[in-house]
Coordinates of all heavy atoms in Angstrom, one line a residue:
M1 N 48.2 21.2 34.1 CA 48.2 20.6 32.8 C 46.8 20.3 32.4 O 46.4 20.6 31.2 CB 49.1 19.4 32.7 CG 49.2 18.8 31.3 SD 50.4 17.5 31.2 CE 49.4 16.1 31.7
L2 N 46.0 19.7 33.3 CA 44.6 19.4 32.9 C 43.8 20.7 32.7 O 43.0 20.8 31.8 CB 44.0 18.6 34.0 CG 44.4 17.2 34.2 CD1 43.9 16.5 35.4 CD2 44.1 16.4 32.9
T3 N 44.0 21.7 33.5 CA 43.3 23.0 33.3 C 43.7 23.6 32.0 O 42.8 24.2 31.3 CB 43.6 23.9 34.5 OG1 43.3 23.3 35.7 CG2 42.9 25.2 34.4
A4 N 44.9 23.5 31.6 CA 45.4 24.1 30.3 C 44.7 23.3 29.2 O 44.3 23.9 28.2 CB 46.9 24.0 30.2
R5 N 44.6 22.0 29.3 CA 44.0 21.2 28.2 C 42.5 21.5 28.2 O 41.9 21.6 27.1 CB 44.2 19.7 28.5 CG 43.5 18.8 27.5 CD 44.1 19.0 26.1 NE 43.4 18.2 25.2 CZ 43.2 18.5 23.9 NH1 43.6 19.7 23.5 NH2 42.5 17.7 23.2
K6 N 41.9 21.7 29.3 CA 40.4 22.1 29.4 C 40.2 23.5 28.7 O 39.3 23.6 27.8 CB 39.9 22.2 30.8 CG 38.5 22.6 30.9 CD 38.1 22.7 32.4 CE 36.7 23.2 32.5 NZ 36.3 23.5 33.9
S7 N 41.1 24.4 29.0 CA 41.0 25.7 28.3 C 41.2 25.6 26.8 O 40.5 26.3 26.0 CB 42.0 26.7 28.9 OG 41.7 26.9 30.3
D8 N 42.1 24.8 26.4 CA 42.4 24.6 25.0 C 41.2 24.0 24.3 O 40.9 24.5 23.2 CB 43.7 23.7 24.8 CG 44.1 23.6 23.4 OD1 44.2 24.6 22.7 OD2 44.4 22.4 23.0
T9 N 40.6 23.0 24.9 CA 39.4 22.4 24.2 C 38.3 23.4 24.2 O 37.5 23.5 23.2 CB 39.0 21.1 24.9 OG1 38.7 21.3 26.2 CG2 40.0 20.0 24.7
E10 N 38.1 24.3 25.2 CA 37.1 25.3 25.2 C 37.3 26.3 24.1 O 36.4 26.7 23.4 CB 37.0 26.0 26.5 CG 36.5 25.2 27.7 CD 36.6 25.8 29.0 OE1 37.3 26.8 29.2 OE2 36.0 25.2 30.0
L11 N 38.5 26.7 23.9 CA 38.9 27.6 22.8 C 38.6 27.0 21.4 O 38.0 27.6 20.6 CB 40.3 28.1 22.9 CG 40.8 29.0 21.8 CD1 40.0 30.3 21.8 CD2 42.3 29.2 21.9
Q12 N 39.0 25.7 21.3 CA 38.8 25.1 20.0 C 37.3 24.9 19.7 O 36.8 25.1 18.6 CB 39.4 23.7 20.0 CG 40.9 23.8 19.9 CD 41.6 22.4 20.0 OE1 41.0 21.4 20.4 NE2 42.9 22.3 19.7
L13 N 36.5 24.6 20.8 CA 35.0 24.5 20.6 C 34.4 25.9 20.2 O 33.6 25.9 19.3 CB 34.4 24.1 21.9 CG 34.2 22.6 22.2 CD1 33.9 22.3 23.6 CD2 33.2 22.0 21.2
Q14 N 34.9 26.9 20.8 CA 34.4 28.3 20.4 C 34.8 28.6 18.9 O 33.9 29.1 18.2 CB 35.0 29.3 21.3 CG 34.5 29.4 22.7 CD 35.2 30.4 23.6 OE1 36.1 31.1 23.2 NE2 34.7 30.5 24.8
M15 N 36.0 28.2 18.5 CA 36.4 28.4 17.1 C 35.5 27.6 16.2 O 35.1 28.1 15.1 CB 37.8 28.2 17.0 CG 38.7 29.2 17.7 SD 40.5 28.7 17.7 CE 40.9 28.7 16.0
V16 N 35.2 26.4 16.5 CA 34.4 25.5 15.7 C 33.0 26.1 15.6 O 32.4 26.2 14.5 CB 34.4 24.1 16.2 CG1 33.3 23.2 15.5 CG2 35.8 23.4 15.9
N17 N 32.4 26.5 16.7 CA 31.1 27.1 16.8 C 31.0 28.4 16.0 O 30.0 28.6 15.3 CB 30.6 27.3 18.2 CG 30.3 26.0 18.9 OD1 29.9 25.0 18.2 ND2 30.4 26.0 20.2
Q18 N 32.1 29.2 16.0 CA 32.1 30.4 15.2 C 32.1 30.1 13.7 O 31.4 30.7 13.0 CB 33.3 31.3 15.6 CG 33.3 32.6 14.9 CD 34.5 33.4 15.3 OE1 35.5 33.0 16.0 NE2 34.5 34.7 14.9
A19 N 32.9 29.1 13.4 CA 33.0 28.7 11.9 C 31.6 28.2 11.5 O 31.2 28.4 10.4 CB 34.0 27.6 11.7
R20 N 30.9 27.4 12.4 CA 29.6 26.9 12.0 C 28.6 28.0 11.8 O 27.7 28.0 11.0 CB 29.1 25.9 13.0 CG 29.9 24.6 13.0 CD 29.3 23.5 13.8 NE 28.1 23.1 13.1 CZ 27.1 22.5 13.8 NH1 27.1 22.3 15.1 NH2 26.0 22.1 13.1
M21 N 28.7 29.1 12.7 CA 27.8 30.2 12.5 C 28.1 30.9 11.2 O 27.1 31.3 10.5 CB 28.0 31.2 13.7 CG 27.4 30.8 15.0 SD 25.7 30.6 15.0 CE 25.2 32.3 14.9
Q22 N 29.3 31.1 10.8 CA 29.6 31.7 9.5 C 29.1 30.9 8.4 O 28.5 31.4 7.4 CB 31.2 31.9 9.4 CG 31.7 32.9 10.3 CD 33.3 33.0 10.3 OE1 33.9 32.0 9.8 NE2 33.8 34.0 10.8
I23 N 29.2 29.6 8.5 CA 28.7 28.7 7.4 C 27.1 28.8 7.4 O 26.6 28.9 6.3 CB 29.1 27.2 7.7 CG1 30.5 27.0 7.3 CG2 28.2 26.2 7.0 CD1 31.1 25.7 7.7
S24 N 26.5 28.9 8.5 CA 25.0 29.1 8.6 C 24.6 30.4 7.9 O 23.7 30.4 7.1 CB 24.6 29.1 10.0 OG 23.2 29.3 10.1
N25 N 25.4 31.4 8.1 CA 25.1 32.7 7.5 C 25.3 32.6 6.0 O 24.5 33.2 5.2 CB 25.9 33.8 8.1 CG 25.5 34.2 9.5 OD1 24.4 33.9 9.9 ND2 26.4 34.7 10.3
M26 N 26.3 32.0 5.6 CA 26.6 31.8 4.1 C 25.5 31.0 3.4 O 25.0 31.4 2.4 CB 28.0 31.1 3.9 CG 29.1 32.0 4.2 SD 30.8 31.1 4.1 CE 30.6 29.9 2.9
V27 N 25.1 29.9 4.0 CA 24.0 29.1 3.4 C 22.7 29.9 3.4 O 22.0 29.8 2.3 CB 23.9 27.8 4.2 CG1 22.6 27.0 3.8 CG2 25.1 26.9 4.0
S28 N 22.4 30.6 4.4 CA 21.2 31.4 4.4 C 21.2 32.5 3.2 O 20.2 32.6 2.5 CB 21.0 32.2 5.7 OG 20.8 31.3 6.7
A29 N 22.4 33.1 3.1 CA 22.5 34.1 2.0 C 22.4 33.4 0.6 O 21.7 33.9 -0.3 CB 23.8 34.8 2.1
L30 N 23.0 32.2 0.5 CA 22.9 31.5 -0.8 C 21.5 31.0 -1.1 O 21.0 31.1 -2.2 CB 23.9 30.3 -0.8 CG 25.4 30.7 -0.8 CD1 26.2 29.4 -0.7 CD2 25.7 31.4 -2.1
F31 N 20.8 30.6 -0.1 CA 19.4 30.2 -0.3 C 18.5 31.4 -0.7 O 17.6 31.3 -1.5 CB 18.8 29.6 1.0 CG 19.0 28.1 1.1 CD1 19.5 27.6 2.3 CD2 18.7 27.2 0.1 CE1 19.7 26.2 2.5 CE2 18.9 25.9 0.3 CZ 19.4 25.4 1.4
G32 N 18.9 32.6 -0.1 CA 18.2 33.8 -0.5 C 18.4 34.1 -2.0 O 17.5 34.6 -2.7
R33 N 19.6 33.9 -2.4 CA 19.9 34.2 -3.9 C 19.2 33.1 -4.7 O 18.8 33.4 -5.9 CB 21.4 34.1 -4.1 CG 22.1 35.4 -3.5 CD 23.6 35.3 -3.7 NE 24.0 35.1 -5.1 CZ 25.2 34.7 -5.4 NH1 26.2 34.6 -4.5 NH2 25.6 34.5 -6.6
Q34 N 19.2 31.9 -4.3 CA 18.6 30.8 -5.1 C 17.1 31.0 -5.3 O 16.6 30.6 -6.3 CB 18.9 29.5 -4.4 CG 18.5 28.3 -5.3 CD 18.9 27.0 -4.6 OE1 18.9 26.9 -3.4 NE2 19.1 26.0 -5.4
V35 N 16.4 31.6 -4.4 CA 15.0 31.8 -4.5 C 14.6 32.6 -5.7 O 13.6 32.4 -6.4 CB 14.4 32.6 -3.2 CG1 13.0 33.1 -3.4 CG2 14.5 31.7 -2.0
N36 N 15.5 33.5 -6.1 CA 15.3 34.4 -7.3 C 15.6 33.7 -8.6 O 15.4 34.3 -9.7 CB 16.0 35.7 -7.1 CG 15.6 36.5 -5.9 OD1 14.5 36.5 -5.5 ND2 16.6 37.2 -5.3
L37 N 16.1 32.5 -8.6 CA 16.5 31.8 -9.8 C 15.5 30.8 -10.2 O 14.8 30.2 -9.4 CB 17.9 31.2 -9.6 CG 19.1 32.1 -9.3 CD1 20.3 31.2 -9.0 CD2 19.3 33.0 -10.4
E38 N 15.5 30.5 -11.5 CA 14.7 29.4 -12.0 C 15.3 28.0 -11.4 O 16.5 27.9 -11.5 CB 14.7 29.3 -13.5 CG 13.9 30.5 -14.1 CD 12.5 30.4 -13.8 OE1 11.9 29.3 -13.8 OE2 11.9 31.5 -13.6
P39 N 14.4 27.1 -11.0 CA 14.9 25.9 -10.3 C 15.8 25.0 -11.2 O 16.7 24.4 -10.8 CB 13.6 25.1 -10.0 CG 12.6 26.2 -9.9 CD 13.0 27.2 -10.9
D40 N 15.6 25.0 -12.5 CA 16.3 24.2 -13.4 C 17.5 24.9 -14.2 O 18.1 24.3 -15.0 CB 15.4 23.6 -14.5 CG 14.4 22.6 -13.8 OD1 14.8 22.0 -12.8 OD2 13.3 22.5 -14.4
S41 N 17.7 26.2 -13.8 CA 18.8 26.9 -14.5 C 20.2 26.5 -14.0 O 20.3 25.9 -13.0 CB 18.6 28.4 -14.2 OG 18.9 28.7 -12.8
A42 N 21.1 26.8 -14.9 CA 22.5 26.4 -14.6 C 23.0 27.1 -13.3 O 23.7 26.5 -12.5 CB 23.4 26.7 -15.8
D43 N 22.6 28.3 -13.2 CA 23.1 29.1 -12.0 C 22.5 28.5 -10.7 O 23.2 28.4 -9.7 CB 22.6 30.6 -12.1 CG 23.5 31.3 -13.1 OD1 24.6 30.9 -13.4 OD2 23.0 32.4 -13.6
S44 N 21.2 28.1 -10.8 CA 20.6 27.5 -9.6 C 21.3 26.1 -9.3 O 21.5 25.8 -8.1 CB 19.1 27.2 -9.9 OG 18.5 26.6 -8.8
K45 N 21.6 25.4 -10.3 CA 22.3 24.1 -10.0 C 23.7 24.3 -9.4 O 24.1 23.6 -8.5 CB 22.3 23.3 -11.3 CG 21.0 22.7 -11.7 CD 21.0 21.9 -13.0 CE 19.6 21.5 -13.3 NZ 19.5 20.7 -14.5
R46 N 24.4 25.3 -9.9 CA 25.7 25.6 -9.4 C 25.6 26.1 -7.9 O 26.4 25.7 -7.1 CB 26.4 26.7 -10.2 CG 27.6 26.2 -11.0 CD 28.3 27.3 -11.8 NE 27.5 27.7 -12.9 CZ 27.1 28.9 -13.3 NH1 27.6 29.9 -12.6 NH2 26.3 29.1 -14.3
L47 N 24.6 26.9 -7.7 CA 24.4 27.4 -6.4 C 24.0 26.3 -5.4 O 24.5 26.2 -4.3 CB 23.3 28.4 -6.4 CG 23.2 29.5 -5.3 CD1 24.6 30.2 -5.2 CD2 22.1 30.5 -5.6
Q48 N 23.2 25.3 -5.9 CA 22.8 24.2 -5.0 C 24.0 23.3 -4.8 O 24.2 22.8 -3.7 CB 21.7 23.4 -5.7 CG 21.2 22.2 -4.9 CD 20.7 22.7 -3.5 OE1 20.0 23.7 -3.4 NE2 21.0 22.0 -2.5
S49 N 24.9 23.2 -5.7 CA 26.1 22.4 -5.5 C 27.0 23.0 -4.5 O 27.6 22.4 -3.6 CB 26.9 22.3 -6.9 OG 28.1 21.6 -6.7
T50 N 27.1 24.4 -4.6 CA 27.9 25.1 -3.6 C 27.3 25.0 -2.2 O 28.0 24.7 -1.2 CB 28.0 26.6 -4.0 OG1 28.5 26.7 -5.3 CG2 28.8 27.4 -3.0
I51 N 26.0 25.1 -2.1 CA 25.3 24.9 -0.8 C 25.6 23.5 -0.2 O 25.9 23.4 0.9 CB 23.8 25.2 -1.0 CG1 23.6 26.7 -1.2 CG2 23.0 24.7 0.3 CD1 22.1 27.0 -1.6
S52 N 25.5 22.5 -1.1 CA 25.7 21.1 -0.6 C 27.2 21.0 -0.1 O 27.4 20.3 0.9 CB 25.5 20.1 -1.8 OG 24.1 20.2 -2.1
A53 N 28.1 21.5 -0.8 CA 29.5 21.4 -0.4 C 29.7 22.1 1.0 O 30.4 21.6 1.9 CB 30.5 22.0 -1.4
I54 N 29.1 23.3 1.1 CA 29.2 24.0 2.4 C 28.5 23.2 3.5 O 29.0 23.2 4.7 CB 28.6 25.4 2.3 CG1 29.5 26.3 1.3 CG2 28.5 26.1 3.6 CD1 28.9 27.6 1.0
Q55 N 27.4 22.6 3.2 CA 26.7 21.8 4.3 C 27.5 20.6 4.7 O 27.5 20.2 5.8 CB 25.3 21.4 3.8 CG 24.3 22.6 3.7 CD 23.0 22.2 3.1 OE1 22.9 21.3 2.2 NE2 22.0 22.9 3.5
E56 N 28.3 20.0 3.8 CA 29.2 18.9 4.1 C 30.3 19.4 5.0 O 30.6 18.7 6.0 CB 29.8 18.3 2.8 CG 28.8 17.5 2.0 CD 28.3 16.3 2.8 OE1 29.1 15.6 3.5 OE2 27.1 16.0 2.7
R57 N 30.8 20.6 4.8 CA 31.8 21.2 5.7 C 31.2 21.4 7.1 O 31.8 21.1 8.1 CB 32.3 22.5 5.1 CG 33.3 23.2 6.0 CD 34.6 22.5 6.2 NE 35.5 23.2 7.0 CZ 36.2 22.7 7.9 NH1 36.3 21.4 8.1 NH2 37.0 23.5 8.7
D58 N 29.9 21.8 7.1 CA 29.3 22.0 8.4 C 29.1 20.7 9.2 O 29.3 20.6 10.4 CB 27.9 22.7 8.2 CG 27.2 22.9 9.5 OD1 27.8 23.6 10.4 OD2 26.1 22.5 9.7
K59 N 28.8 19.6 8.4 CA 28.7 18.3 9.1 C 30.1 17.9 9.7 O 30.1 17.3 10.8 CB 28.2 17.3 8.1 CG 26.8 17.4 7.7 CD 26.3 16.4 6.7 CE 24.9 16.6 6.3 NZ 24.5 15.7 5.2
A60 N 31.1 18.2 8.9 CA 32.5 17.8 9.4 C 32.8 18.6 10.7 O 33.4 18.1 11.7 CB 33.5 18.1 8.4
L61 N 32.4 19.9 10.7 CA 32.6 20.7 11.9 C 31.8 20.3 13.0 O 32.2 20.4 14.2 CB 32.3 22.2 11.6 CG 33.4 22.9 10.7 CD1 32.9 24.3 10.3 CD2 34.7 23.0 11.4
E62 N 30.6 19.8 12.8 CA 29.7 19.3 13.8 C 30.4 18.0 14.5 O 30.4 17.9 15.7 CB 28.3 18.9 13.3 CG 27.4 18.4 14.3 CD 26.0 18.0 13.8 OE1 25.8 18.0 12.5 OE2 25.1 17.8 14.6
L63 N 30.9 17.2 13.7 CA 31.6 16.0 14.2 C 32.8 16.4 15.1 O 33.1 15.9 16.1 CB 32.1 15.1 13.1 CG 31.0 14.3 12.4 CD1 31.5 13.5 11.2 CD2 30.3 13.4 13.3
E64 N 33.6 17.4 14.6 CA 34.7 18.0 15.3 C 34.2 18.6 16.6 O 34.9 18.4 17.7 CB 35.4 19.0 14.5 CG 36.6 19.7 15.2 CD 37.8 18.8 15.3 OE1 37.8 17.7 14.7 OE2 38.7 19.2 16.0
S65 N 33.1 19.2 16.6 CA 32.5 19.8 17.8 C 32.2 18.7 18.8 O 32.5 18.9 20.0 CB 31.3 20.6 17.5 OG 30.7 21.2 18.7
K66 N 31.6 17.6 18.4 CA 31.2 16.5 19.3 C 32.5 15.9 19.8 O 32.5 15.5 21.0 CB 30.4 15.5 18.5 CG 29.0 16.0 18.2 CD 28.2 15.0 17.5 CE 26.8 15.5 17.2 NZ 26.0 14.5 16.4
R67 N 33.5 15.7 19.0 CA 34.8 15.2 19.5 C 35.4 16.0 20.6 O 35.8 15.5 21.6 CB 35.7 15.0 18.3 CG 37.1 14.3 18.7 CD 38.0 14.3 17.5 NE 38.5 15.6 17.1 CZ 39.4 16.3 17.8 NH1 40.0 15.7 18.8 NH2 39.8 17.5 17.4
L68 N 35.4 17.3 20.3 CA 36.0 18.2 21.3 C 35.2 18.3 22.6 O 35.7 18.4 23.7 CB 36.1 19.7 20.7 CG 37.2 19.9 19.7 CD1 37.0 21.2 18.9 CD2 38.6 19.7 20.3
D69 N 33.9 18.2 22.5 CA 33.0 18.2 23.6 C 33.3 16.9 24.5 O 33.3 17.0 25.7 CB 31.5 18.3 23.2 CG 30.6 18.5 24.4 OD1 30.9 19.4 25.2 OD2 29.6 17.8 24.5
T70 N 33.5 15.8 23.8 CA 33.8 14.6 24.5 C 35.1 14.7 25.3 O 35.2 14.3 26.4 CB 33.8 13.4 23.6 OG1 32.5 13.3 22.9 CG2 34.2 12.1 24.3
Q71 N 36.1 15.3 24.6 CA 37.4 15.5 25.2 C 37.3 16.4 26.4 O 37.9 16.2 27.5 CB 38.4 16.1 24.2 CG 38.9 15.1 23.2 CD 39.9 15.7 22.3 OE1 40.3 16.9 22.4 NE2 40.3 15.0 21.3
H72 N 36.5 17.5 26.2 CA 36.3 18.5 27.3 C 35.7 17.8 28.5 O 36.1 18.0 29.7 CB 35.4 19.6 26.8 CG 35.2 20.7 27.8 ND1 34.1 20.8 28.6 CD2 36.0 21.8 28.1 CE1 34.2 21.8 29.4 NE2 35.4 22.5 29.1
Q73 N 34.7 17.0 28.3 CA 34.0 16.3 29.4 C 35.0 15.3 30.1 O 35.0 15.2 31.3 CB 32.8 15.5 28.9 CG 31.7 16.4 28.5 CD 30.5 15.7 27.9 OE1 30.5 14.5 27.8 NE2 29.5 16.4 27.5
A74 N 35.8 14.6 29.3 CA 36.8 13.7 29.9 C 37.8 14.4 30.7 O 38.2 14.0 31.8 CB 37.5 12.9 28.8
V75 N 38.3 15.6 30.3 CA 39.3 16.4 31.0 C 38.6 16.9 32.3 O 39.2 16.8 33.4 CB 39.8 17.5 30.2 CG1 40.6 18.5 31.0 CG2 40.7 17.0 29.1
Q76 N 37.3 17.3 32.2 CA 36.6 17.8 33.4 C 36.5 16.7 34.4 O 36.7 16.9 35.6 CB 35.3 18.4 33.1 CG 34.5 19.0 34.3 CD 35.3 20.1 34.9 OE1 35.8 21.0 34.3 NE2 35.4 20.0 36.2
T77 N 36.2 15.5 34.0 CA 36.1 14.3 34.9 C 37.4 14.0 35.5 O 37.4 13.7 36.7 CB 35.6 13.1 34.1 OG1 34.3 13.4 33.5 CG2 35.5 11.9 35.0
E78 N 38.5 14.1 34.8 CA 39.8 13.9 35.3 C 40.1 15.0 36.4 O 40.7 14.6 37.4 CB 40.8 13.9 34.2 CG 42.2 13.5 34.7 CD 42.3 12.0 35.1 OE1 41.5 11.2 34.7 OE2 43.3 11.7 35.9
I79 N 39.8 16.2 36.1 CA 40.1 17.3 37.1 C 39.3 17.0 38.3 O 39.9 17.2 39.4 CB 39.7 18.7 36.4 CG1 40.7 19.1 35.4 CG2 39.6 19.7 37.5 CD1 40.3 20.3 34.6
D80 N 38.0 16.6 38.2 CA 37.2 16.3 39.4 C 37.8 15.2 40.2 O 37.9 15.2 41.4 CB 35.8 16.0 39.0 CG 35.0 17.2 38.4 OD1 35.5 18.3 38.6 OD2 34.0 16.9 37.8
S81 N 38.3 14.2 39.5 CA 38.9 13.0 40.2 C 40.2 13.4 40.9 O 40.4 13.0 42.1 CB 39.3 12.0 39.1 OG 40.0 10.9 39.7
V82 N 41.0 14.2 40.3 CA 42.3 14.7 40.9 C 42.0 15.5 42.1 O 42.6 15.4 43.2 CB 43.2 15.4 39.9 CG1 44.3 16.2 40.6 CG2 43.7 14.5 38.8
Q83 N 40.9 16.4 42.0 CA 40.6 17.2 43.2 C 40.1 16.4 44.4 O 40.4 16.7 45.5 CB 39.5 18.3 42.8 CG 40.0 19.4 41.9 CD 39.0 20.3 41.4 OE1 37.8 20.0 41.4 NE2 39.4 21.5 40.9
K84 N 39.4 15.3 44.1 CA 38.9 14.4 45.2 C 40.1 13.7 45.8 O 40.2 13.6 47.1 CB 38.0 13.4 44.6 CG 36.6 13.9 44.3 CD 35.7 12.9 43.8 CE 34.3 13.4 43.3 NZ 33.5 12.4 42.7
V85 N 41.1 13.3 45.0 CA 42.3 12.6 45.6 C 43.1 13.6 46.4 O 43.5 13.3 47.5 CB 43.2 12.1 44.4 CG1 44.5 11.6 44.9 CG2 42.5 10.9 43.8
I86 N 43.2 14.8 46.0 CA 43.9 15.8 46.7 C 43.2 16.1 48.0 O 43.8 16.2 49.1 CB 44.1 17.1 45.9 CG1 45.1 16.9 44.8 CG2 44.6 18.3 46.8 CD1 45.2 18.0 43.8
S87 N 41.9 16.2 48.0 CA 41.1 16.5 49.2 C 41.3 15.4 50.2 O 41.4 15.6 51.4 CB 39.7 16.7 48.8 OG 38.9 16.9 49.9
K88 N 41.2 14.1 49.7 CA 41.3 13.0 50.6 C 42.7 13.0 51.2 O 42.9 12.6 52.4 CB 41.1 11.7 49.9 CG 39.6 11.5 49.6 CD 39.4 10.1 48.8 CE 38.0 9.9 48.5 NZ 37.7 8.7 47.7
N89 N 43.8 13.3 50.4 CA 45.1 13.3 51.0 C 45.3 14.4 52.0 O 46.0 14.2 53.0 CB 46.1 13.5 49.8 CG 46.3 12.3 49.0 OD1 46.0 11.2 49.4 ND2 46.9 12.5 47.8
I90 N 44.7 15.5 51.8 CA 44.8 16.6 52.8 C 44.1 16.2 54.1 O 44.6 16.4 55.2 CB 44.1 17.9 52.2 CG1 45.1 18.5 51.1 CG2 43.9 18.9 53.3 CD1 44.5 19.6 50.4
D91 N 42.9 15.6 53.9 CA 42.1 15.1 55.1 C 42.9 14.1 55.9 O 43.0 14.2 57.1 CB 40.8 14.5 54.7 CG 39.8 15.6 54.3 OD1 40.0 16.8 54.6 OD2 38.8 15.2 53.7
S92 N 43.5 13.1 55.2 CA 44.2 12.1 55.9 C 45.5 12.6 56.5 O 45.9 12.2 57.6 CB 44.5 10.9 55.0 OG 45.4 11.3 54.0
S93 N 46.1 13.6 55.9 CA 47.3 14.2 56.5 C 47.0 14.9 57.8 O 47.8 14.9 58.8 CB 48.0 15.2 55.5 OG 48.5 14.5 54.4
F94 N 45.9 15.7 57.8 CA 45.6 16.4 59.0 C 45.1 15.5 60.1 O 45.3 15.7 61.3 CB 44.5 17.5 58.7 CG 45.1 18.7 58.1 CD1 44.8 19.1 56.8 CD2 45.9 19.5 58.9 CE1 45.3 20.2 56.3 CE2 46.4 20.7 58.4 CZ 46.1 21.0 57.0
K95 N 44.5 14.3 59.8 CA 44.1 13.4 60.8 C 45.3 12.7 61.4 O 45.3 12.5 62.6 CB 43.2 12.3 60.2 CG 41.8 12.8 59.8 CD 41.0 11.7 59.2 CE 39.6 12.2 58.8 NZ 38.8 11.2 58.1
L96 N 46.3 12.5 60.6 CA 47.6 11.9 61.2 C 48.3 12.9 62.1 O 48.9 12.5 63.1 CB 48.5 11.5 60.0 CG 48.1 10.3 59.2 CD1 49.1 10.1 58.0 CD2 48.0 9.1 60.0
M97 N 48.2 14.2 61.8 CA 48.9 15.2 62.6 C 48.1 15.6 63.8 O 48.6 16.1 64.7 CB 49.2 16.4 61.7 CG 50.1 16.1 60.5 SD 50.3 17.5 59.5 CE 51.7 18.3 60.3
G98 N 46.8 15.5 63.7 CA 45.9 16.0 64.8 C 45.4 14.9 65.7 O 45.4 14.6 66.7

């Protein structure tokens, strides 16, 4: 169950990182378009508003990524703990039998 949860968080992290890469590419393209516009034009202001909205989405995805990373680390810690308990149980079982 822990391994499945770890794999699930890894997949979710990959999906969030992929979405952030797409956002980065979109913002770069929009900045490229904005360079050709007059700074005070309506098109430039609309474009800047769109860029700001996209950057807010990126911030939300960054928070999601940090949350998932924290969960992933917690699951890995739990897996390590369970493996130590299993190892100690195996050692003690063989000592009792040998």
